[in-house]
Amino acid sequence: MTNPIPRRSFLAALGAGTMAAGTLLACRGASAGNAPRAAGRLDRIGLELYAVRKAMKENPEKTLAAIRAIGYTDVELLWSFKNFDRSPQQVKATLKAEGLTATSAHMAPETLLSEWSESLRTAKTLGHQYLVVPSLPSETKRSINAWKIWADRFNVAGEEARRAGIWLAFHNEPDHLRKVEGEIPLDVFLARTEPKFVRFQLDVGNMLMGGGDPMDYLNRYKDRIGTFHLKNVVADRSKDTELGAGTFNLRAFLAAVPELAKKPCFVEQEGAADELASAKTNFEYLRGLSF
């Protein structure tokens, strides 16, 4: 029979074990029970390629290499720009060479209506988790029924996407909060689409520029939101700016997102004078941000 462990030694060992467990939770950005929430960080930081669209048009391969050199781990591709005239095979090879992951892509809404099955196969080839539609055709600016028709189309396409292991998502633009026939289009769309088939990509800056509250939408639709565009805005909300120079409290927002580590986040500053310089500034801000 072994000698009993002295109480003081036992408590010291227990305390050390508890501290180690707390450190592990902090690394994961988790919290246990009623314990104080450990500070979280974004382990992976993505860049929406629209933020560097001019550089991508000039030289996609060189730009992707520069993005990885800054420190970004993920990118959101632009199918709507035909991936800057590169084939899926070329894009896949460049991403692999640079060590980047294309978690998501933006595409035109019409993609849902033609060769959708082929698009889903392409998404699998490129390693996408999400295919995202950023806006809808012009008829939705005048007709709330047009929003409902597109919502129904999303439900059908989203069901097929789930069978392929892909999420179909919708992304908000500023004008999606402007009433059409007395109703807020974004709310109508989200209410009509099926949560099990269609997710929501919340663009924080676009929400602010449209006069909305990102925290309100996070609270109302947190079970629907699977991915984010991280932007910040100037004081009058007329345009976006570098993340650390804006007026919105990104720290508090990110701290409120449940299971953030599972939800791809992409920086997208649309109006930067120097695209890559701003991309670097924004990455460094997020890398140093704890919440």
Side-chain angles (χ1 to χ4, degrees):
M1 180 176 178
T2 57
N3 292 329
I5 300 174
R7 176 176 173 81
R8 181 177 299 173
S9 299
F10 172 78
L11 291 175
L14 179 62
T18 302
M19 183 177 296
T23 301
L24 178 61
L25 288 170
C27 291
R28 294 177 177 173
S31 60
N34 294 321
R37 186 184 187 280
R41 291 181 182 274
L42 285 176
D43 293 328
R44 302 185 68 84
I45 301 174
L47 183 69
E48 217 296 345
L49 293 183
Y50 192 78
V52 289
R53 59 197 178 278
K54 295 176 185 175
M56 286 292 295
K57 285 178 181 178
E58 292 177 5
N59 192 321
E61 290 76 20
K62 181 179 178 181
T63 302
L64 288 172
I67 290 168
R68 186 67 187 102
I70 288 170
Y72 287 99
T73 56
D74 297 71
V75 291
E76 187 166 57
L77 301 184
L78 288 173
W79 287 18
S80 48
F81 279 51
K82 298 181 180 179
N83 283 330
F84 301 95
D85 297 320
R86 298 299 189 266
S87 70
Q89 292 73 25
Q90 288 174 313
V91 173
K92 182 178 179 179
T94 301
L95 292 172
K96 183 177 180 180
E98 299 302 336
L100 286 165
T101 300
T103 326
S104 178
H106 270 206
M107 64 183 186
E110 291 80 9
T111 308
L112 305 181
L113 308 179
S114 176
E115 300 181 346
W116 179 232
S117 297
E118 178 62 29
S119 295
L120 292 172
R121 286 191 286 272
T122 299
K124 295 289 282 187
T125 296
L126 291 170
H128 297 334
Q129 297 174 21
Y130 287 87
L131 287 176
V132 184
V133 174
S135 60
L136 295 175
S138 60
E139 66 261 26
T140 57
K141 297 183 183 299
R142 303 179 299 273
S143 167
I144 204 68
N145 190 56
W147 279 90
K148 294 176 181 178
I149 290 171
W150 274 103
D152 293 341
R153 290 168 175 167
F154 268 68
N155 286 332
V156 174
E159 184 175 8
E160 184 177 353
R162 291 309 300 137
R163 290 196 295 268
I166 304 293
W167 276 107
L168 173 62
F170 185 68
H171 157 281
N172 60 293
E173 292 290 340
D175 62 354
H176 295 168
L177 296 179
R178 295 169 193 159
K179 288 185 177 181
V180 174
E181 298 180 312
E183 298 188 76
I184 296 175
L186 182 60
D187 290 348
V188 170
F189 182 89
L190 291 174
R192 194 172 179 96
T193 47
E194 289 284 349
K196 60 185 177 182
F197 299 141
V198 181
R199 284 195 171 174
F200 176 32
Q201 180 180 70
L202 176 55
D203 186 310
V204 175
N206 285 355
M207 179 67 63
L208 292 164
M209 287 186 280
D213 179 358
M215 290 293 286
D216 172 53
Y217 272 77
L218 177 63
N219 290 329
R220 289 163 59 192
Y221 298 106
K222 58 186 171 186
D223 294 335
R224 301 286 307 273
I225 301 170
T227 171
F228 296 90
H229 274 190
L230 300 183
K231 285 192 180 101
N232 215 328
V233 295
V234 298
D236 66 0
R237 299 188 178 192
S238 61
K239 61 181 180 179
D240 61 22
T241 187
E242 278 73 21
L243 296 180
T247 58
F248 183 68
N249 188 343
L250 275 170
R251 175 181 281 108
F253 179 81
L254 291 171
V257 177
E259 298 186 300
L260 179 61
K262 298 179 181 179
K263 298 172 182 178
C265 294
F266 301 98
V267 172
E268 189 195 30
Q269 183 182 346
E270 297 186 21
D274 186 327
E275 293 178 336
L276 285 169
S278 288
K280 186 174 189 295
T281 298
N282 289 326
F283 174 82
E284 290 175 348
Y285 172 81
L286 284 178
R287 182 176 59 180
L289 189 68
S290 60
F291 42 85

